[in-house]
Amino acid sequence: MSAPMNDTMSLEYQVRVALASHAALEGAHVEAKVDDDVVTLEGTADCYARRLMAEDVARHVEGVHKVVNHVEIPIDGVYGWRDIDLFDAAYRALASHYLLAKRRIEIEADRGWLRLRGRVGSAFERIEAERAVASLPNLRGIRNELVVG
């Protein structure tokens, strides 16, 4: 059963305002559409962190129960994915991180995606490894395969 048109439009408006006013999303081009209490995000962002931020902002608008994130990170028109640059940046980010510098974390970069593998000491370290690389330019996504133990 669909929500009344004015409620849907109001929720869509609230989500769009929240997205437009969030400083961390400056430069991202994200549109929101609402069907009942489900928000669908479409558009582009320059990194994985902004893609996730758009989802988080939409999720925290009162009345939103689900967010479907179709925001894409487009290919750099000049250099493509530059996986070697992505790998190097991820390596430096993890090697200089106060919690993760001594951990043996394997990194693979493939067409803008990073895969993290290895062992970490806690769930917090696992999440922190993902956070450390999430804002790298042209990062399309992260496959966090780190094991706690």
Side-chain angles (χ1 to χ4, degrees):
M1 179 173 181
S2 292
M5 184 59 107
N6 61 349
D7 289 348
T8 298
M9 288 174 55
S10 175
L11 184 57
E12 188 170 298
Y13 176 77
Q14 290 174 28
V15 172
R16 288 180 180 197
V17 167
L19 292 168
S21 63
H22 200 285
L25 294 175
E26 188 174 319
H29 304 284
V30 180
E31 290 293 323
K33 294 186 169 106
V34 175
D35 185 17
D36 287 333
D37 54 5
V38 178
V39 175
T40 301
L41 301 176
E42 295 179 345
T44 60
D46 64 342
C47 67
Y48 186 67
R50 280 199 176 96
R51 180 184 191 274
L52 293 179
M53 180 60 69
E55 183 176 332
D56 191 51
V57 167
R59 182 173 282 115
H60 283 90
V61 172
E62 187 175 341
V64 172
H65 288 86
K66 182 177 179 182
V67 177
V68 178
N69 193 342
H70 292 300
V71 174
E72 295 183 6
I73 296 92
I75 295 173
D76 182 303
V78 177
Y79 299 110
W81 292 121
R82 299 285 305 213
D83 286 332
I84 189 67
D85 295 333
L86 189 56
F87 172 86
D88 288 343
Y91 178 82
R92 284 192 308 276
L94 294 173
S96 65
H97 194 282
Y98 76 103
L99 282 176
L100 306 168
K102 295 183 181 179
R103 297 286 181 200
R104 292 177 43 128
I105 297 175
E106 295 176 33
I107 305 164
E108 291 177 26
D110 183 29
R111 291 175 283 165
W113 282 80
L114 284 178
R115 174 176 281 148
L116 306 177
R117 291 189 203 163
R119 288 199 178 279
V120 291
S122 67
F124 179 75
E125 287 181 2
R126 183 178 189 278
I127 292 167
E128 200 60 23
E130 192 167 324
R131 283 187 190 148
V133 298
S135 62
L136 296 176
N138 296 318
L139 177 63
R140 296 187 68 208
I142 300 170
R143 291 182 183 96
N144 190 341
E145 299 174 3
L146 294 170
V147 176
V148 176

